[in-house]
Amino acid sequence: MAEYNYDVVVIGSGPAGEGAAMNAAKKGLRVAVIEEQDTVGGNCTHKGTIPSKALRHSVKQIIEFNTNPMFRDIGEPRWFSFPKVLRRAEKVISNQVMLRTNFYARNRIDVFFGFATFVDKGQLKVKSAGQDEEILRAKNFIIATGSSPWCPADVDFNHPRIYNSDSILKLNHTPRTMVIYGAGVIGCEYASIFSGLGVKVDLIDNRDRLLSFLDAEISDSLSYHLRNNAVKIRHNEEYQSIVGDVRGVTVEFKSGKRLRADAFLWCAGRSGNTKGLGLETIGLKANSRGQIEVDEHYKTACEGVYAVGDVIGWPSLASAALDQGRAASSDLLQADDFRYINDVPTGIYTIPEISSVGKTEEELTQDCVPYEVGQAFFKDTARAQISGEPVGMLKILFHRETFQILGIHCFGDQASEIIHIGQAIMSQEGKANTLKYFVNTTFNYPTMAEAYRVAAIAGINRVDNL
C-alpha cells in the first residue's frame, strides 16, 4: 500500500474542490485531489450544471429555429429527439474535462481517482475502482464532495421510466408526456427544457408559488411563461404513491388527484455526499441531509478539516462553491484575501432565464424600508427587438431618499449576464452605490445593458413625481 504526504488534500474535483486546489497550489502548497469518478470535474461537469445548461442552450436554439419566420426560407419546423440534443451536451462535457485535466497538470497537482475514507485524523485511504488502496496524509483537508439527488425509499428509481436529475441524462428516448415532481430551480429548468422539445409537462409544486425566494413579480412571470409553453403547474400537491409499469408511470396525490405520464422525473431535494467518508473517525457528523456544519471560515469541528460547496448546503451554486473553495484554502494559509461568501447572485436557467441579487420587494416591505422601483421592459429596447428576444424585464429596487441600490431582479434572455453590471455598482461602498450611476454613464447602443439606463430614469421619475 503506497503512502503519500501533502500539505493539503482536497476531496472532490467539482467547482469547490477545484477552487481550493488551484488556490492552494498557486500559493506554493503541495496539493492532492481525490475524485470518485473516472475523470475530473465532479457532478457539476458530469451530471449537473454543465450538461443541463448545454441542453438548455440547444433547446433554445431549436425553439428559435422553429418560431422565427426568417428560417422558413430554409425549411419547415424540425423535431429533435432528447438523445440527439443530449449528444451536444456530451461534447461540452468532454471539452470541460480536457480543460480541467490540463489545469491540474499545469499546476502540478496530483489527482487520485477513487473513493476517500478517513482512517484517522490527518490520514485518509483512497480505494480505486480496481480495489487498489493508497494512504494520503496531510495537515489540512478540504471536503468538497458535492451533493446528489435525495431519493425517498418509497419511489423505485430502478424502474426504467422513473428518473432523478442525475439519471435523466441517460434517457434514451423522447417521452410524449412527463411528470416533474419538485418545482425548485432544477425542476423548473427541466420543465423548460422538455417543454421546449414538445413534451407535455406536468410540474408538481408542494408550495403555493414557484421559487418563493424570488421577487414575486419575477416568480409570477416565470409561471406565466411556463404555462404559455404548455407546462401545467400544480401547486400545493404531495405524492401518495409513484408506480411505474411497462407503459408509463402513475402518480397518486394526497389530494386525491391522479396523473399518468410516459416518464417521471424527481427533482425534490438534494443530499450532501458524505456517506462512506468516515466522518465519525475524525469526530464529525453530517446532518439529516448529509451536510457538514462549518463556521464562517469554512472550518468544521475537526481541526484542520474544512468543508465547502454543496456539501455544506446554502447556496448550493457552482459559482459560490468555486469561491468557497478558494476562501477555505486562503484561510488555512492565513492569507489576507479570505472572504466569507454571502453575496451571491441567483442564476436560474429556465427559458427565459432569471437572475437576481439583493432584496426583494416583499423583504423591503416587511423591513419598512422606503424604497422605489425602476423598471425596463425588454420589448421596448432596440437590442431585444433586433435579437428577437422581447420577453423580460429589468427591475431595480432603490432607497427613495439616498438612491442606494437595494436589489436587482432580471427576467429574460441573458439575465444571468445582465445582472453583473448592477451587482458591480451595488457592491460599491457609500455614495458610490447609487442609481444615478446608470443615468450619468453612457452605455453602448443598442445593448441589453441599456435597460439599466431606462430603468434608472423611470425610477428617478417616480421619485420626482411624489
Side-chain angles (χ1 to χ4, degrees):
M1 183 183 297
E3 299 185 9
Y4 304 91
N5 292 290
Y6 293 94
D7 297 315
V8 184
V9 172
V10 180
I11 309 173
S13 68
E18 180 182 302
M22 295 300 165
N23 193 38
K26 296 288 187 185
K27 288 179 166 60
L29 297 186
R30 188 167 182 234
V31 182
V33 170
I34 303 168
E35 173 53 52
E36 183 183 5
Q37 300 182 75
D38 295 336
T39 52
V40 297
N43 286 342
C44 172
T45 296
H46 297 279
K47 300 176 182 178
T49 302
I50 297 302
S52 64
K53 277 51 177 181
L55 274 170
R56 175 198 178 274
H57 180 72
S58 295
V59 170
K60 193 168 178 295
Q61 288 181 311
I62 293 169
I63 293 172
E64 182 179 5
F65 178 85
N66 286 337
T67 57
N68 192 325
M70 184 181 71
F71 292 124
R72 295 292 67 78
D73 293 336
I74 300 174
E76 294 302 312
R78 304 292 178 89
W79 179 83
F80 291 81
S81 69
F82 182 79
K84 188 171 185 177
V85 176
L86 189 60
R87 283 196 288 273
R88 161 64 182 162
E90 289 170 350
K91 291 180 181 178
V92 178
I93 292 171
S94 63
N95 289 338
Q96 286 285 305
V97 168
M98 181 175 63
L99 181 74
R100 281 167 165 70
T101 300
N102 289 336
F103 286 164
Y104 290 112
R106 190 164 65 238
N107 287 280
R108 299 183 179 181
I109 297 172
D110 294 339
V111 180
F112 294 81
F113 293 101
F115 192 86
T117 305
F118 284 100
V119 294
D120 200 352
K121 289 186 178 181
Q123 182 174 314
L124 57 74
K125 174 179 65 178
V126 181
K127 180 180 284 189
S128 68
Q131 301 302 309
D132 293 331
E133 295 184 357
E134 295 165 305
I135 296 293
L136 274 60
R137 294 189 179 90
K139 181 181 178 181
N140 294 289
F141 294 86
I142 300 177
I143 301 172
T145 48
S147 65
S148 299
W150 173 70
C151 299
D154 60 348
V155 180
D156 180 14
F157 288 95
N158 292 319
H159 192 280
R161 291 182 180 269
I162 298 177
Y163 302 88
N164 60 37
S165 54
D166 282 358
S167 61
I168 195 66
L169 298 174
K170 294 182 173 62
L171 179 66
N172 58 11
H173 68 286
T174 308
R176 291 177 300 170
T177 58
M178 173 177 281
V179 171
I180 298 179
Y181 189 88
V185 172
I186 296 173
C188 288
E189 288 180 349
Y190 272 111
S192 289
I193 289 170
F194 280 102
S195 65
L197 289 172
V199 179
K200 183 181 177 182
V201 175
D202 280 272
L203 179 61
I204 312 303
D205 186 11
N206 62 5
R207 301 181 181 182
D208 57 5
R209 181 162 71 90
L210 287 185
L211 305 179
S212 55
F213 59 88
L214 291 176
D215 185 274
E217 192 171 9
I218 301 298
S219 174
D220 291 344
S221 296
L222 174 63
S223 295
Y224 170 80
H225 285 284
L226 284 174
R227 289 189 175 102
N228 195 47
N229 290 324
V231 175
K232 175 63 177 175
I233 304 171
R234 300 176 186 269
H235 292 292
N236 299 312
E237 296 283 3
E238 291 187 32
Y239 77 93
Q240 183 70 43
S241 65
I242 299 166
V243 180
D245 55 45
V246 294
R247 300 184 64 183
V249 181
T250 301
V251 184
E252 300 274 358
F253 295 94
K254 292 180 180 179
S255 65
K257 296 186 183 72
R258 176 188 297 166
L259 288 177
R260 174 93 176 155
D262 294 339
F264 176 90
L265 173 57
W266 177 273
C267 293
R270 296 183 69 84
S271 297
N273 294 329
T274 50
K275 186 177 180 180
L277 270 179
L279 295 179
E280 64 283 352
T281 306
I282 56 173
L284 294 180
K285 184 179 180 180
N287 65 18
S288 60
R289 298 185 67 87
Q291 296 165 348
I292 300 173
E293 185 177 344
V294 296
D295 64 13
E296 290 195 350
H297 283 257
Y298 303 105
K299 294 178 180 178
T300 69
C302 179
E303 185 178 357
V305 178
Y306 293 75
V308 290
D310 284 14
V311 77
I312 67 172
W314 186 91
S316 295
L317 294 169
S319 55
L322 181 71
D323 288 341
Q324 288 172 346
R326 289 179 54 81
S329 59
S330 289
D331 186 83
L332 67 86
L333 280 160
Q334 298 182 332
D336 57 7
D337 61 347
F338 171 85
R339 70 182 178 95
Y340 180 68
I341 314 303
N342 59 358
D343 184 19
V344 182
T346 61
I348 302 170
Y349 295 86
T350 47
I351 302 175
E353 64 190 63
I354 297 169
S355 193
S356 64
V357 63
K359 298 289 187 178
T360 65
E361 282 204 62
E362 293 72 31
E363 290 171 335
L364 293 173
T365 300
Q366 185 176 355
D367 294 342
C368 298
V369 176
Y371 76 93
E372 196 45 85
V373 184
Q375 289 177 306
F377 295 94
F378 291 166
K379 65 182 177 62
D380 299 325
T381 63
R383 185 60 179 268
Q385 293 170 0
I386 292 168
S387 64
E389 297 281 0
V391 172
M393 61 176 286
L394 175 68
K395 177 177 180 179
I396 306 176
L397 309 181
F398 62 97
H399 196 283
R400 190 182 64 212
E401 297 163 359
T402 66
F403 291 93
Q404 176 188 9
I405 300 171
L406 305 171
I408 304 170
H409 307 276
C410 190
F411 177 77
D413 186 47
Q414 301 181 60
S416 58
E417 302 280 357
I418 295 168
I419 198 73
H420 293 135
I421 301 168
Q423 181 189 24
I425 303 306
M426 187 177 169
S427 65
Q428 302 301 306
E429 295 182 359
K431 294 183 178 180
N433 175 5
T434 174
L435 181 77
K436 293 183 178 180
Y437 169 86
F438 299 114
V439 179
N440 299 327
T441 300
T442 303
F443 287 85
N444 280 331
Y445 178 85
T447 59
M448 295 303 293
E450 180 203 1
Y452 278 100
R453 177 178 59 80
V454 175
I457 292 173
I460 291 172
N461 288 341
R462 290 180 68 89
V463 173
D464 290 343
N465 290 331
L466 292 177

